[in-house]
Structure formats: C-alpha cells, structure tokens
Amino acid sequence: DVKVTQSSRYLVKRTGEKVFLECVQDMDHENMFWYRQDPGLGLRLIYFSYDVKMKEKGDIPEGYSVSREKKERFSLILESASTNQTSMYLCASSPQWDTEAFFGQGTRLTVV
Amino acid sequence: RKEVEQDPGPFNVPEGATVAFNCTYSNSASQSFFWYRQDCRKEPKLLMSVYSSGNEDGRFTAQLNRASQYISLLIRDSKLSDSATYLCVVSMNTGFQKLVFGTGTRLLVSP
C-alpha cells in the first residue's frame, strides 16, 4: 500500500513562529502536493512539486514556502505563522499529475 | 463561477435507499474525473475514477456528461458505512496542471 506520512496530527503554534510541516511518501512518486482544507472552501492547492528541487505555486501560495531536497520528502514552511493559517493541511503524492492522489492523514494546525 | 461545484448537502437517506450526487465543472478541456470519499476527520481517498462511457463498481455508478460538463455518482442500496463526504475531483490546466477538488457533498445514511 502507498503510504504518505505527515509528521504531526495536531500542532499549536504562536503567531509569528516559523512552522515546518513534513511529509514523506514511500512509493517513489514524482509528484507531491500540499493542500489546505477549510469548511466551505474545500481543498485548495498551496504548492506542488514534480521533481526533486522543483516547486510550483498553487492557488494560494502566499505566506508559505516549500522544500523538496529528496524525492520522498516534501516540506511546507510557514515563514511567520498567522491566525488565518489555522487549518487542516493535507499532503498528497501521485505518480502522474492527473492520476489518483494519495493523501497523508492531515495536520490540524492551530495558530494562536 | 467555481471551477468545480457540488451541492454541500447533507443528503439524509435511510438504509437501502438509492442516492445520486451531481457535480459540475467549468473547464471544458478537463480530461480526468474522479470521486473521492472523505470520512470525518480523515484524509480523502479515491472512490472511483470516472470514464467517458460510465463505470460501475459494485453499488456505485459514476457517469460523465461532457456536453453538459457534469459528473454524477449513484449509490444503490445505501449502507450506514456509506455516510461520508463525497468529493468531486476534476483535472484542469489553468496555467499549470492540477486536480481541482469540489467542496464535497455530505451523505448521512440512517437506520
């Protein structure tokens, strides 16, 4: 089975902190994605990566950056956390961009 | 107009009922279509892909209507375990290629 693992299920951070969300996949997938999910807004794409050291902005990249130094790992960074970044963050990977995406269990981040 | 639109529900149905969800999409060039299922406080998981000719997987049937730009999901003989949120997903190229997720339709199956 494909496994996508996110480092934390729940996180509470203070406004202004730098926050790292880690994601690891074990299926050698080329593509990795970070989404956030909010009630009434669904899943929105923050950043994605098609290859190591490659990154592309999604629909809502402001306030976020990413890092992909190894194929299996894709990190989301909140440079200076703000309360409007309180959300559920979901990492996903897929072999092709338009095929099944496999999701991690999600990280519920609360910024206070 | 949203890129992918779904009725949020909830759809409340008794066990054994047949229920159908529709989803409309805005980009006529979209090529790939999916239904995902998301249980409460869990991650989305692929339920089924949707093919042009329509496809069936047990009690679930998915159909695509390209002319009207909508996809549908039919669930027959609903089970309590079908209670979940069903996400419509469409591939699009809007400057970059991506999967666009609808906000989901919530289904509640009661005894």
Side-chain angles (χ1 to χ4, degrees):
Chain A
D1 279 353
V2 174
K3 194 160 186 185
V4 179
T5 304
Q6 295 182 228
S7 52
S8 304
R9 288 297 303 274
Y10 300 94
L11 273 180
V12 180
K13 296 293 181 180
R14 294 192 181 278
T15 300
E17 276 193 79
K18 190 168 186 176
V19 181
F20 293 85
L21 302 183
E22 306 287 346
C23 175
V24 177
Q25 51 100 358
D26 66 358
M27 281 302 291
D28 202 36
H29 286 166
E30 303 292 331
N31 307 298
M32 295 190 75
F33 310 86
W34 274 106
Y35 293 88
R36 63 178 282 178
Q37 186 174 27
D38 300 287
L41 296 177
L43 275 80
R44 293 180 291 166
L45 182 63
I46 304 171
Y47 266 97
F48 60 100
S49 170
Y50 286 160
D51 201 353
V52 176
K53 296 192 186 293
M54 222 214 80
K55 59 186 179 185
E56 295 286 347
K57 292 180 180 179
D59 296 311
I60 52 163
E62 296 79 19
Y64 304 95
S65 62
V66 290
S67 171
R68 193 165 180 201
E69 296 296 318
K70 293 185 178 181
K71 192 174 186 179
E72 67 272 17
R73 188 180 296 270
F74 192 35
S75 303
L76 179 70
I77 303 152
L78 285 66
E79 298 291 342
S80 178
S82 62
T83 54
N84 63 11
Q85 292 179 308
T86 292
S87 185
M88 170 68 83
Y89 289 88
L90 289 158
C91 174
S93 73
S94 69
Q96 306 287 337
W97 74 270
D98 61 349
T99 57
E100 178 181 1
F102 297 86
F103 284 86
Q105 77 276 28
T107 297
R108 186 165 292 279
L109 172 67
T110 302
V111 182
V112 298
Chain B
R1 183 185 172 189
K2 287 185 179 178
E3 293 173 307
V4 177
E5 290 201 69
Q6 295 182 251
D7 181 341
F11 285 58
N12 290 286
V13 301
E15 271 187 292
T18 295
V19 62
F21 310 134
N22 284 336
C23 161
T24 58
Y25 60 95
S26 61
N27 190 328
S28 60
S30 297
Q31 293 296 320
S32 302
F33 308 88
F34 310 90
W35 283 102
Y36 278 69
R37 171 193 169 127
Q38 186 172 24
D39 293 304
C40 189
R41 299 186 183 280
K42 296 289 184 88
E43 73 273 20
K45 292 185 179 179
L46 180 69
L47 178 66
M48 58 198 303
S49 301
V50 186
Y51 303 119
S52 296
S53 55
N55 48 300
E56 190 173 305
D57 183 3
R59 298 181 293 107
F60 298 84
T61 301
Q63 293 200 312
L64 167 64
N65 184 318
R66 285 190 184 273
S68 299
Q69 293 181 208
Y70 77 83
I71 67 173
S72 63
L73 178 68
L74 181 78
I75 306 175
R76 290 181 299 278
D77 189 23
S78 298
K79 311 291 185 191
L80 295 177
S81 57
D82 293 334
S83 296
T85 297
Y86 291 84
L87 305 174
C88 171
V89 185
V90 178
S91 68
M92 291 191 184
N93 189 329
T94 57
F96 55 88
Q97 296 172 328
K98 63 178 181 180
L99 292 178
V100 180
F101 287 75
T103 53
T105 298
R106 192 165 172 219
L107 172 65
L108 299 171
V109 182
S110 55

